[in-house]
Structure formats: C-alpha cells, structure tokens
Amino acid sequence: MKFKVNNHEVFASTGGRPFDKKKPLIIFVHGSGLTHMTWVLQTRYFAFHGYNALAIDLPGHGLSSGDSLKSIEQMADWVNDVIDAVGHKEASLVGHSQGCLVTVECTSRYPDKIKTLSLMGGAGAIPMNPELLSLAENNDPKAVDLMMDWAHGPAGHFGGHPVPGLYHINTGTMLAKSRTIQNTLGVDFRACDNYKNGFEAAKKIKCPTLSILATDDKMCPVKEGKKLASLIDGSQVDIIDNCGHMMLLEEADRVLTVLKKFITTNYPPLSS
Amino acid sequence: MTDKKKELKPNTYKFDTLSLHAGYQPHKNAGSRQVPIYQTTSYLFDDVDHAAALFNLERGGHIYSRISNPTVGVLEERVASLEGGTAALATSSGMSAIFLTVMTLCEAGDHLVVSSQLYGGTVNLFRLTLPKFGIKCTFVKPRDTEGFKKAIQKNTKGIFGELVGNPGNEIMNMPEIAKIAHDAGIPLMVDATYQTPYLCKPFEHGADIVIHSLTKWMAGHGSSMAGILVEGGKFDWMQNDKFPTMTKPYEGYHGLSFAEEFGPTAFTMKARAEGMRDFGPCLSPQNAWNVLQGIETLSVRMKKHCSNAEEMVKYLSNHESVAWVSHPSVPDHPDHELAKKLLPNGRGSMIAFGIKGGKDAGVAFINNVKLASHLANVGDTRTLVIHPASGTHSQMDEATLKFAGLSHDMIRLSVGIEDIDDIKNDFEIGFRAARKPRLVSNQ
Ligand SMILES: Cc1ncc(COP(=O)(O)O)c(C=O)c1O
C-alpha cells in the first residue's frame, strides 16, 4: 500500500492482505540498500494470521519516493512516523542488519509505542569497511557484488533458495541495484558507519526482544549480536547453524518459526 | 599506506564451479554428493497450517511435482546462476518454455514483435497457434533493427528472437534491440538455445527473459527433452500500465501482486504459480537430472564443439565439393564483427553449407555419411546432419524455401565433439558419393 510520511509517498507491502486497522501492526525494516522484498517469506505468513504486516521501503528505496535518510536516528523517527501515518498507536518491530540499528534506536526513543522487537543479523554498531563504503558512495556496482558475497553464508553461495527456482545471490544483487547505488547503499552504509548510539539505546529497551543470529554471518558476527543482546533486559537469542547474514532468505523457514513463536506469544494476533 | 592493501574482490563462485555446484546443498540431502532424483509426485505437509502457508506462497517449499520438484529446482537454480538471472522455471521441452513465457506475458488482444529467423516449431507457434489465443505477431528480419522499432504497436507486450537465426546464421543486434524494447517499456525475450550461457549471457546485453531448449547443448547428449525460462530481474513491470497481470492483485492467489511481492523474480513466480499450475508442462525429475549431468561438463563440451566447428568451417571452405559456408566465424559473414562482440568465447557449432550439385548431391551426401547422424535435432555430442530440401522441408517449392532462408543445396550441420579427423573422413565419404551419386549408392 501507499501512504504519505512528511509529504513523501511511502510504499509498504502488506503481505498480500488488505490493511485492516483492527489488527495489530508489525513493521519490518530492511537492511542497507535493500527493499521490502527481502521479507516476503515472513510477511505473508503474519498477514494471513491476524496481523497487519507492513514491510516498508525506506525513503528513496524500492518503491518509496523522497531522498534516502542520512542517519539511523532519522530513520528511527521515520519508523515512528509510519506508525502514526497508518493510524496505529503501537507496533512490533522487526529489523534486519541496518534495520536492527533503526529498530533498536526507534524502540529506545518510543518505548511506550513499541511492543516487541525482533532483530535479525543485528549488532550494536556496524562499522563499514572503508573501501566498501567508498565503492558504494562512488556508485560502483562492485559494492553490491561484495555485499552479496559477504552477506551469504557458504551454503547460501551454492543456492538452495527456499522458493523453488529462485537464486539467492542474483536476486539480492538485482534488489540492491534497482535504484542508484550511491543514493541507497552509499547513503545507508555511511549512516551505519556514523551510528554510535546502539549500545546506549539497547540499555533503554524494556520490551520483549528476540535476536536471531547466524553462525556464518560475516557482516554482523554472532559475537557482536550477542554483545548487543546482553545489554537488552531478558533478551532472547536464537542461533542458526550453517547460515549467513541473509538468514531471512537463506533459512527463511527457521526464521519464520522462531519469529512466529516469539511474536504470537508476546504480541498476540487478532483472533478471527 | 593503503597502496599495499589487497584490492577487495567478490569471491562468489565462477561459471565452471557453478556448472557443478549451483542450486544444491548436500548437507540438506543426506550428504548425497550427487543431486538425488526426487521421484515423487507430492510432499508431506507438517500440519494444516503448513499446508495453507505453502498454498498461499507464505513460505517456500514443494507441494506437488507439477508446480515444483527438488531435483528440477536444482536445475532451475543452476541455470539461473549460469545466466546471471534471478530465477528460472524448467519445463518439459523448449517449446513449452516459449509457450509459458508468452502466456505469462500476454493476454488475448496483445501483440508481439518477433524475429523471422526462428526454429520452425517456434515460427508455427507464433504464426499459427498464438493467433488462436488472440495473440498476434509481426515478423521482422533479424538484421532489420529499425524494423523492430517500427513494428511496435500500442498493444505490443514484448520482442522475441533467437540471437543467431536458424539456419541462415543471421545475428540479431541484441543490445540495440533491447534498447528499442526498453524505450517502448516492453521486455526483450531471447531464445539462446544455440549459445548456452557459456557462449553468451543475454542479460549482459539487455535481454529480460532468456529461454533455452535444454534438449540441445545444455543437456548435450541427445538423451532428454527439457526447456527453461530464466528471468534477468531488471525489467520494471510497474513502469507503465501494460502488464496488469503482473502488477495488479491476482485473484488466483488471494490478491497477490507478483511485481510488488517478488520484484526481480515476479515473472518466474507468475509463470509457475499460474502457467505451470494451469497448463502443466512440468519437467520430470529424471530428465532434470540428465540435464544436470550435461551441464556439469558444459564448458568442456562447448569448447570442443566450437573448436571442432571452426576446424570444419576451414575444411569446408577449402573443399572442392562445397559451394558456400555460413558460420559467424567466416570473415565475410555479414555479422562477423557483431558475433565477435556478442560471442567472445566461440561462435557456436551450427554450420550451414551448400553442396555442389544441388539437391541430388545433398541427398547422396546425407545417405552415405556413416559417422554423422541424419536426424532432426541439434546440439548433440555427436555430429548431426540434415538436408532440409529433401527432408524436413521437402514439400516446399523454390520460392518458399528461399523465404525460409533455405536452398536446395543446403546441408545443416551440428558439429559434435568426436575426433575432428574422423568427422572430416566421414564427410569425404559423403562428398565422394555426392560427386558420383549413382556409383556410390549402388555399392
Ligand atoms: C532454437 C530452438 N528453440 C526451441 C526449440 C524447441 O525445443 P524443444 O525441441 O526442446 O521443444 C528448438 C528445437 O529444435 C530450437 O532449436
């Protein structure tokens, strides 16, 4: 669906179900340079099981208009604006990678509004490799190729997509190249690199929190994810074997099973 | 300070490695090193919730082997990876891949611009069968780049062609024709059967959908029928209102919009969810496995196919019994330069040549070669020959033959990977017979 935030049109997938104000809201926030499509194997399930599952495209990404936001803090406020814009008072947040920084910051800023937080491939800080950052800022497609290499675990490099016929690395590459690289990936990487408040923000989080980490994640290694989780009161951690940073696709079913249990327990759906 | 630092390079697997490994994870298949043949029609659901989730495309997985099968799935991912595509859908034959592609793209009332130099079966589909579904086509000669532009109408939904036309070996200027298609907001579909991704990756030159008859060089051994459509993932279906079935909610899946939910893989998702579900030309797991075996050695075979073909071009060009030779490697071939650009790894193994003595000589040649097989296929590991004027096209008069790019003296040759001297020796037998038709055939 499309709606406006700060006068810019925002696109969000609703997982194939019409938006229904009566249902509790889950917002899915994608990673650097990516789009709502990374969530397709999670959102549709929630949309068909009593939730409004809103996989947003950040400004300037995917099908959303406007310029990309330059800082994680701005993105966090923007996610809060999305909750208001769709007429809800509260939401559960799910983030991947950069989306974890955004949702951690957002939850710490708006503790009354955010009911649960689910982090995938998250860390308290995501410092960028300077060469990768510079390639992305210079619009070099090699930045995307490097990201796709590092983001997929050894198993993901062979393929084995949960949806028959789809090939991970090329699909991710096309998503990340669907808009101008320097305006999406370049701005996002810089925002990640600049963001220093992750650990402080984490300490303020009181809502039920889940971290899904993967043993072969090179971008946000398990150690970093655990460090972040240890700062969040009562945070739950789930570690997936044989999987890289793109766990939401590489091991979509495992992720969905864990996420389903966590969200339905802590933020129940509207029963039909 | 940074000078000595190693340059960052992506370490994703390369072509030859992908040919052997892409799409398959042994640790999820009992450690089986070779891809298992999942000889089954259907798959257990964990519970009713799981069943519903699979039917709603809420999660990935297999339901019924008409829609998808794990062995076939490995083949699909493998070809997608080799082409540099996002997704693929394998079919029971090359023809069904073309048909599914068109039916996924078009509705009754739509129009396609199509190259006139295509495999005969494809010409029949576009000229005679698709009009029965309300889909009309305008044919344009492959070298007439401007002609493609002129033929585009308001209801045109795509351009279709073979990179190297058959049998005249005319080459379509893919980058320019892709630009024409994209300026008009429509996709370019390329049948790259004769090239395989080893010789050309059409997505790098602007194609949006690539189709293969896997029956040919990809499987390579003349054992199995199979086809595939591969998606490039770049085409934006939402840029105009020409493709409502891709962009608007689809009744068949609870209002799913393929373009919104699946973006760079939307076309394949629709082709499977709608086309494969409703038309059903699925590939058998056994045939998928046979094709996978072929693809494991694709590079090795294609190198030998191409080097043997170039040897044969030299041999034929210098032969007293040969009137003319057509192959993109011949310097005076009109598309020689374009071929170098689009086919840097080799110009393919299809050769057409004219035999001196016309139709009778052609018949004698075909009837007397012993090693080369006389049959209606191309892209076998074995050398294949056919004389269209006396076989496949024997009903045609001179004018019709000419329109189809054929002549009485033409022999079509699909060069195999036998020892090159054995192929040449065999051709000597054929040429000798062609020079003295009666004498040899009376032996
Ligand atoms: C270029 C081309 N495309 C498509 C086909 C049809 O493929 P199949 O015979 O696998 O149906 C052929 C068959 O000869 C072909 O040569």
Side-chain angles (χ1 to χ4, degrees), chain A residues 117-189:
Chain A
L117 172 63
S118 306
L119 305 170
M120 270 162 234
I126 310 185
M128 299 306 301
N129 174 306
E131 200 176 328
L132 178 62
L133 178 57
S134 139
L135 288 166
E137 288 187 326
N138 287 303
N139 213 27
D140 191 327
K142 197 167 131 188
V144 173
D145 298 338
L146 285 166
M147 175 167 93
M148 286 303 140
D149 174 11
W150 297 345
H152 290 88
H157 271 251
F158 290 119
H161 200 292
V163 178
L166 271 54
Y167 188 65
H168 283 305
I169 291 193
N170 296 348
T171 304
T173 302
M174 282 305 153
L175 279 186
K177 288 182 181 170
S178 63
R179 302 278 293 256
T180 312
I181 294 166
Q182 69 192 138
N183 298 341
T184 51
L185 203 59
V187 176
D188 287 351
F189 279 175

Coordinates of all heavy atoms in Angstrom, one line a residue, chain A residues 117-189:
Chain A
L117 N 10.4 -6.4 19.9 CA 11.5 -6.1 19.0 C 12.2 -7.3 18.5 O 12.6 -8.1 19.4 CB 12.5 -5.1 19.6 CG 13.8 -4.8 18.9 CD1 13.5 -4.1 17.6 CD2 14.7 -3.9 19.8
S118 N 12.2 -7.6 17.2 CA 12.9 -8.8 16.7 C 14.1 -8.3 15.8 O 13.9 -7.6 14.9 CB 12.0 -9.6 15.9 OG 10.8 -9.9 16.7
L119 N 15.3 -8.8 16.1 CA 16.5 -8.4 15.4 C 17.1 -9.6 14.7 O 17.2 -10.6 15.2 CB 17.5 -7.8 16.4 CG 17.0 -6.7 17.3 CD1 18.0 -6.4 18.4 CD2 16.7 -5.4 16.5
M120 N 17.4 -9.4 13.4 CA 18.0 -10.4 12.6 C 19.3 -9.9 12.1 O 19.4 -8.9 11.4 CB 17.1 -10.8 11.4 CG 16.1 -11.8 11.8 SD 14.8 -11.8 10.6 CE 13.5 -11.7 11.8
G121 N 20.4 -10.7 12.4 CA 21.7 -10.3 11.9 C 22.0 -8.9 12.5 O 22.5 -8.0 11.7
G122 N 21.7 -8.7 13.7 CA 21.9 -7.3 14.3 C 23.2 -7.2 15.1 O 23.9 -8.2 15.4
A123 N 23.6 -6.0 15.4 CA 24.8 -5.7 16.2 C 24.5 -4.3 16.7 O 23.7 -3.5 16.3 CB 26.0 -5.7 15.3
G124 N 25.3 -3.9 17.8 CA 25.2 -2.6 18.4 C 25.8 -1.5 17.5 O 25.4 -0.3 17.6
A125 N 26.7 -1.9 16.7 CA 27.3 -0.9 15.7 C 27.7 -1.7 14.5 O 28.0 -2.9 14.6 CB 28.6 -0.3 16.4
I126 N 27.6 -1.1 13.3 CA 28.0 -1.7 12.1 C 29.1 -0.8 11.4 O 28.7 -0.1 10.4 CB 26.8 -2.0 11.2 CG1 25.7 -2.7 11.9 CG2 27.3 -2.9 10.0 CD1 24.5 -3.2 11.1
P127 N 30.3 -0.9 11.9 CA 31.3 -0.1 11.2 C 31.6 -0.7 9.8 O 31.7 -1.9 9.7 CB 32.6 -0.2 12.1 CG 32.3 -1.5 12.9 CD 30.8 -1.7 13.0
M128 N 31.8 0.2 8.8 CA 31.9 -0.3 7.5 C 33.4 -0.4 7.1 O 34.2 0.4 7.5 CB 31.2 0.6 6.5 CG 29.7 0.8 6.7 SD 28.8 -0.7 6.7 CE 29.1 -1.4 5.1
N129 N 33.7 -1.4 6.3 CA 35.0 -1.5 5.6 C 35.1 -0.2 4.7 O 34.2 0.1 3.9 CB 35.0 -2.7 4.8 CG 36.2 -2.9 3.9 OD1 36.6 -2.0 3.2 ND2 36.9 -4.0 4.1
P130 N 36.2 0.6 5.0 CA 36.3 1.9 4.3 C 36.2 1.7 2.7 O 35.7 2.6 2.1 CB 37.6 2.4 4.7 CG 38.1 1.5 5.8 CD 37.3 0.3 5.8
E131 N 36.8 0.7 2.2 CA 36.9 0.5 0.8 C 35.5 0.2 0.2 O 35.1 0.8 -0.8 CB 37.8 -0.6 0.4 CG 38.3 -0.5 -1.0 CD 39.3 -1.6 -1.3 OE1 40.1 -2.0 -0.4 OE2 39.3 -2.1 -2.5
L132 N 34.7 -0.6 1.0 CA 33.4 -0.9 0.6 C 32.5 0.3 0.6 O 31.7 0.6 -0.3 CB 32.8 -2.0 1.5 CG 31.4 -2.4 1.2 CD1 31.2 -3.0 -0.2 CD2 30.9 -3.5 2.3
L133 N 32.7 1.1 1.7 CA 31.9 2.3 1.8 C 32.2 3.3 0.7 O 31.3 3.9 0.1 CB 32.3 3.0 3.2 CG 31.7 4.3 3.5 CD1 30.2 4.2 3.5 CD2 32.2 4.8 4.9
S134 N 33.5 3.4 0.3 CA 33.8 4.3 -0.8 C 33.3 3.8 -2.1 O 32.9 4.6 -2.9 CB 35.4 4.5 -0.7 OG 35.9 4.5 -2.0
L135 N 33.4 2.5 -2.3 CA 32.8 2.0 -3.6 C 31.3 2.3 -3.7 O 30.8 2.8 -4.7 CB 33.0 0.5 -3.7 CG 34.4 -0.1 -3.9 CD1 34.5 -1.6 -3.6 CD2 34.8 0.2 -5.4
A136 N 30.6 2.1 -2.6 CA 29.1 2.4 -2.6 C 28.9 3.9 -2.8 O 28.0 4.2 -3.6 CB 28.5 1.9 -1.3
E137 N 29.6 4.7 -2.2 CA 29.4 6.2 -2.3 C 29.8 6.6 -3.7 O 29.3 7.7 -4.2 CB 30.2 6.9 -1.2 CG 29.6 6.7 0.1 CD 30.2 7.6 1.2 OE1 31.4 7.8 1.1 OE2 29.5 8.0 2.1
N138 N 30.7 5.9 -4.4 CA 31.0 6.2 -5.7 C 30.2 5.5 -6.8 O 30.6 5.4 -8.0 CB 32.5 6.0 -6.0 CG 33.3 7.0 -5.2 OD1 33.2 8.2 -5.5 ND2 34.2 6.6 -4.3
N139 N 29.1 4.9 -6.4 CA 28.2 4.3 -7.3 C 28.8 3.1 -8.0 O 28.4 2.8 -9.2 CB 27.7 5.3 -8.3 CG 26.3 5.1 -8.7 OD1 25.5 4.5 -8.0 ND2 26.0 5.5 -9.9
D140 N 29.8 2.4 -7.4 CA 30.4 1.3 -8.1 C 29.6 0.0 -7.8 O 29.5 -0.4 -6.7 CB 31.9 1.2 -7.6 CG 32.7 0.2 -8.4 OD1 32.1 -0.8 -8.9 OD2 33.9 0.5 -8.5
P141 N 29.2 -0.6 -8.9 CA 28.4 -1.9 -8.7 C 29.1 -3.0 -7.9 O 28.6 -3.9 -7.4 CB 28.0 -2.3 -10.1 CG 28.8 -1.5 -11.1 CD 29.3 -0.3 -10.3
K142 N 30.5 -2.8 -7.9 CA 31.3 -3.8 -7.2 C 30.9 -3.8 -5.7 O 31.0 -4.8 -5.0 CB 32.7 -3.5 -7.3 CG 33.7 -4.6 -6.9 CD 35.1 -4.3 -7.4 CE 36.0 -4.5 -6.3 NZ 37.4 -4.1 -6.6
A143 N 30.4 -2.7 -5.2 CA 29.9 -2.6 -3.8 C 28.8 -3.6 -3.6 O 28.8 -4.3 -2.5 CB 29.5 -1.2 -3.4
V144 N 27.9 -3.7 -4.5 CA 26.8 -4.7 -4.4 C 27.3 -6.1 -4.4 O 27.0 -7.0 -3.6 CB 25.7 -4.4 -5.5 CG1 24.7 -5.5 -5.4 CG2 25.1 -3.0 -5.3
D145 N 28.2 -6.3 -5.4 CA 28.8 -7.7 -5.5 C 29.5 -8.1 -4.3 O 29.4 -9.3 -3.8 CB 29.7 -7.8 -6.7 CG 29.0 -7.5 -8.0 OD1 27.7 -7.6 -8.1 OD2 29.6 -7.0 -9.0
L146 N 30.3 -7.2 -3.7 CA 31.0 -7.6 -2.4 C 30.0 -7.8 -1.3 O 30.1 -8.8 -0.5 CB 31.9 -6.4 -2.0 CG 33.2 -6.3 -2.8 CD1 33.8 -4.9 -2.6 CD2 34.2 -7.4 -2.5
M147 N 29.0 -7.0 -1.2 CA 28.0 -7.1 -0.2 C 27.3 -8.5 -0.3 O 27.1 -9.2 0.7 CB 26.9 -6.0 -0.2 CG 25.8 -6.2 0.8 SD 24.8 -4.8 1.0 CE 23.5 -5.0 -0.1
M148 N 26.9 -8.9 -1.5 CA 26.2 -10.1 -1.8 C 27.1 -11.3 -1.4 O 26.7 -12.3 -0.9 CB 25.7 -10.2 -3.2 CG 24.6 -9.4 -3.5 SD 23.2 -9.7 -2.3 CE 22.6 -8.1 -2.0
D149 N 28.4 -11.2 -1.7 CA 29.4 -12.2 -1.3 C 29.4 -12.4 0.2 O 29.2 -13.4 0.7 CB 30.8 -11.8 -1.9 CG 31.9 -12.8 -1.5 OD1 31.5 -13.9 -0.9 OD2 33.0 -12.5 -1.7
W150 N 29.6 -11.3 0.9 CA 29.8 -11.3 2.3 C 28.5 -11.7 3.1 O 28.5 -12.2 4.1 CB 30.4 -10.0 2.9 CG 31.7 -9.7 2.3 CD1 32.6 -10.6 1.7 CD2 32.4 -8.5 2.4 NE1 33.7 -9.9 1.3 CE2 33.7 -8.6 1.7 CE3 32.1 -7.2 2.9 CZ2 34.6 -7.6 1.6 CZ3 33.0 -6.2 2.7 CH2 34.3 -6.4 2.1
A151 N 27.4 -11.3 2.4 CA 26.1 -11.4 3.1 C 25.6 -12.8 3.1 O 24.7 -13.2 3.9 CB 25.1 -10.5 2.5
H152 N 26.1 -13.6 2.2 CA 25.6 -15.0 2.1 C 26.6 -16.0 2.7 O 27.8 -15.8 2.4 CB 25.3 -15.4 0.6 CG 24.1 -14.7 0.1 ND1 24.2 -13.5 -0.5 CD2 22.8 -15.0 0.1 CE1 22.9 -13.1 -0.9 NE2 22.1 -14.0 -0.5
G153 N 26.1 -16.9 3.5 CA 27.0 -17.9 4.1 C 27.5 -18.9 3.0 O 27.0 -18.8 1.9
P154 N 28.4 -19.8 3.4 CA 28.9 -20.7 2.4 C 27.8 -21.5 1.8 O 27.8 -21.8 0.6 CB 29.8 -21.6 3.3 CG 30.2 -20.8 4.4 CD 29.1 -19.8 4.7
A155 N 26.8 -21.9 2.5 CA 25.7 -22.7 2.0 C 24.9 -21.8 1.0 O 24.6 -22.3 -0.1 CB 24.8 -23.2 3.1
G156 N 24.7 -20.6 1.4 CA 23.9 -19.7 0.5 C 24.6 -19.4 -0.8 O 24.0 -19.1 -1.8
H157 N 25.9 -19.5 -0.8 CA 26.7 -19.3 -2.1 C 26.4 -20.4 -3.1 O 26.5 -20.2 -4.3 CB 28.2 -19.3 -1.8 CG 28.7 -17.9 -1.5 ND1 29.4 -17.2 -2.3 CD2 28.5 -17.1 -0.4 CE1 29.7 -16.0 -1.8 NE2 29.1 -15.9 -0.6
F158 N 26.0 -21.6 -2.6 CA 25.6 -22.6 -3.6 C 24.2 -22.4 -4.1 O 23.8 -23.0 -5.1 CB 25.7 -24.0 -2.9 CG 27.1 -24.4 -2.6 CD1 27.6 -24.6 -1.4 CD2 28.0 -24.5 -3.7 CE1 28.9 -25.0 -1.1 CE2 29.3 -24.9 -3.5 CZ 29.8 -25.1 -2.2
G159 N 23.4 -21.7 -3.3 CA 22.0 -21.6 -3.7 C 21.1 -22.3 -2.7 O 21.4 -22.2 -1.5
G160 N 20.1 -23.0 -3.2 CA 19.2 -23.7 -2.3 C 18.2 -22.8 -1.7 O 17.9 -22.8 -0.5
H161 N 17.7 -21.9 -2.5 CA 16.6 -20.9 -2.1 C 15.4 -21.7 -1.6 O 15.0 -22.7 -2.3 CB 16.3 -20.0 -3.3 CG 15.7 -18.7 -2.9 ND1 14.4 -18.7 -2.3 CD2 16.1 -17.5 -2.9 CE1 14.1 -17.4 -2.1 NE2 15.1 -16.6 -2.4
P162 N 14.8 -21.2 -0.5 CA 13.5 -22.0 -0.1 C 12.4 -21.9 -1.1 O 11.6 -22.8 -1.2 CB 13.1 -21.2 1.2 CG 13.9 -20.0 1.3 CD 15.1 -20.2 0.4
V163 N 12.4 -20.9 -2.0 CA 11.3 -20.8 -3.0 C 11.9 -21.5 -4.3 O 12.9 -21.0 -4.8 CB 10.9 -19.4 -3.3 CG1 9.9 -19.4 -4.4 CG2 10.4 -18.7 -2.1
P164 N 11.3 -22.6 -4.7 CA 11.9 -23.3 -5.9 C 12.2 -22.3 -7.1 O 11.3 -21.5 -7.4 CB 10.8 -24.3 -6.2 CG 10.0 -24.5 -5.0 CD 10.1 -23.2 -4.2
G165 N 13.4 -22.5 -7.6 CA 13.7 -21.7 -8.8 C 14.3 -20.4 -8.6 O 14.8 -19.8 -9.6
L166 N 14.4 -19.9 -7.4 CA 15.0 -18.6 -7.2 C 16.5 -18.7 -6.8 O 16.8 -19.7 -6.1 CB 14.2 -17.8 -6.1 CG 13.1 -17.0 -6.5 CD1 12.0 -17.8 -7.3 CD2 12.4 -16.3 -5.3
Y167 N 17.3 -17.8 -7.3 CA 18.7 -17.9 -7.0 C 19.1 -16.7 -6.1 O 19.1 -15.6 -6.5 CB 19.5 -18.0 -8.3 CG 21.0 -18.3 -8.0 CD1 21.4 -19.5 -7.5 CD2 21.9 -17.3 -8.3 CE1 22.7 -19.7 -7.2 CE2 23.3 -17.6 -8.0 CZ 23.6 -18.8 -7.5 OH 25.0 -19.0 -7.2
H168 N 19.6 -17.0 -4.9 CA 19.8 -16.0 -3.8 C 20.6 -14.8 -4.3 O 20.2 -13.7 -4.3 CB 20.7 -16.6 -2.7 CG 19.9 -17.4 -1.7 ND1 18.8 -17.0 -1.1 CD2 20.2 -18.7 -1.3 CE1 18.4 -17.9 -0.3 NE2 19.2 -19.0 -0.4
I169 N 21.9 -15.1 -4.8 CA 22.8 -14.0 -4.9 C 22.4 -13.1 -6.0 O 22.5 -11.9 -5.9 CB 24.3 -14.6 -5.1 CG1 24.7 -15.3 -3.8 CG2 25.2 -13.5 -5.6 CD1 26.1 -15.6 -3.7
N170 N 21.9 -13.6 -7.1 CA 21.5 -12.7 -8.2 C 20.2 -11.9 -7.9 O 20.1 -10.8 -8.3 CB 21.3 -13.5 -9.5 CG 22.6 -14.2 -10.0 OD1 23.6 -13.9 -9.5 ND2 22.4 -15.1 -10.9
T171 N 19.3 -12.6 -7.1 CA 18.1 -11.8 -6.7 C 18.5 -10.7 -5.8 O 18.0 -9.5 -6.0 CB 17.2 -12.8 -6.0 OG1 16.9 -13.9 -6.8 CG2 15.9 -12.1 -5.6
G172 N 19.4 -10.9 -4.8 CA 19.8 -9.9 -3.9 C 20.5 -8.7 -4.7 O 20.3 -7.6 -4.4
T173 N 21.3 -9.2 -5.7 CA 22.0 -8.2 -6.5 C 21.1 -7.3 -7.2 O 21.2 -6.0 -7.2 CB 22.9 -8.9 -7.5 OG1 23.8 -9.8 -6.8 CG2 23.7 -7.9 -8.3
M174 N 20.0 -7.8 -7.8 CA 19.1 -7.0 -8.5 C 18.3 -6.1 -7.6 O 18.0 -5.0 -8.0 CB 18.1 -7.9 -9.3 CG 18.7 -8.5 -10.5 SD 19.3 -7.2 -11.6 CE 20.5 -8.1 -12.5
L175 N 18.0 -6.6 -6.4 CA 17.3 -5.7 -5.4 C 18.2 -4.5 -5.1 O 17.7 -3.3 -5.1 CB 17.0 -6.4 -4.1 CG 15.8 -7.4 -4.1 CD1 15.6 -7.9 -2.6 CD2 14.5 -6.6 -4.5
A176 N 19.4 -4.8 -4.8 CA 20.3 -3.7 -4.4 C 20.7 -2.8 -5.6 O 21.2 -1.7 -5.4 CB 21.6 -4.3 -3.8
K177 N 20.5 -3.3 -6.8 CA 20.8 -2.4 -8.0 C 19.5 -1.8 -8.6 O 19.6 -1.1 -9.6 CB 21.5 -3.2 -9.0 CG 23.0 -3.6 -8.7 CD 23.7 -4.3 -9.8 CE 25.1 -4.7 -9.4 NZ 25.8 -5.6 -10.3
S178 N 18.4 -2.0 -7.9 CA 17.2 -1.5 -8.5 C 17.1 0.1 -8.5 O 16.3 0.7 -9.2 CB 15.9 -2.1 -7.9 OG 15.9 -1.7 -6.5
R179 N 17.8 0.7 -7.6 CA 17.8 2.2 -7.6 C 19.3 2.6 -7.7 O 20.2 1.7 -7.6 CB 17.2 2.8 -6.3 CG 15.8 2.4 -6.0 CD 14.8 3.2 -6.8 NE 14.7 4.6 -6.4 CZ 13.7 5.1 -5.6 NH1 12.8 4.4 -5.2 NH2 13.7 6.4 -5.3
T180 N 19.6 3.8 -7.7 CA 21.0 4.3 -7.9 C 21.8 3.9 -6.6 O 21.5 4.3 -5.5 CB 21.1 5.8 -8.1 OG1 20.1 6.1 -9.2 CG2 22.4 6.2 -8.6
I181 N 22.9 3.2 -6.8 CA 23.6 2.6 -5.7 C 24.1 3.7 -4.7 O 24.0 3.5 -3.5 CB 24.8 1.8 -6.2 CG1 24.3 0.5 -7.0 CG2 25.7 1.3 -5.1 CD1 25.4 -0.2 -7.8
Q182 N 24.6 4.8 -5.2 CA 25.2 5.7 -4.3 C 24.1 6.4 -3.4 O 24.3 6.8 -2.3 CB 26.0 6.8 -5.0 CG 25.3 7.7 -5.9 CD 26.3 8.5 -6.8 OE1 26.0 8.7 -7.9 NE2 27.4 9.0 -6.2
N183 N 22.9 6.5 -4.0 CA 21.8 7.1 -3.3 C 21.1 6.2 -2.3 O 20.3 6.6 -1.4 CB 20.7 7.6 -4.2 CG 21.2 8.7 -5.1 OD1 22.3 9.3 -4.9 ND2 20.6 8.9 -6.3
T184 N 21.3 4.9 -2.4 CA 20.7 3.9 -1.5 C 21.8 3.3 -0.6 O 22.0 3.7 0.5 CB 19.9 2.8 -2.2 OG1 20.8 2.3 -3.3 CG2 18.7 3.4 -2.9
L185 N 22.6 2.4 -1.2 CA 23.6 1.7 -0.4 C 24.7 2.7 0.1 O 25.1 2.6 1.2 CB 24.3 0.7 -1.4 CG 25.0 -0.5 -0.7 CD1 24.0 -1.3 0.1 CD2 25.6 -1.4 -1.8
G186 N 25.0 3.6 -0.7 CA 26.1 4.6 -0.3 C 25.6 5.4 0.9 O 26.4 5.5 1.9
V187 N 24.4 5.9 0.9 CA 23.9 6.7 2.0 C 23.7 5.8 3.2 O 24.0 6.2 4.4 CB 22.5 7.4 1.6 CG1 21.9 8.1 2.8 CG2 22.8 8.3 0.4
D188 N 23.2 4.6 3.0 CA 22.9 3.7 4.1 C 24.2 3.3 4.8 O 24.3 3.2 6.0 CB 22.2 2.4 3.6 CG 20.8 2.7 3.2 OD1 20.3 3.8 3.5 OD2 20.1 1.8 2.6
F189 N 25.2 2.9 4.0 CA 26.5 2.5 4.6 C 27.1 3.6 5.5 O 27.6 3.4 6.6 CB 27.5 2.0 3.5 CG 27.3 0.6 3.0 CD1 28.1 0.2 1.9 CD2 26.4 -0.2 3.6 CE1 27.9 -1.1 1.5 CE2 26.2 -1.5 3.1 CZ 27.0 -2.0 2.0

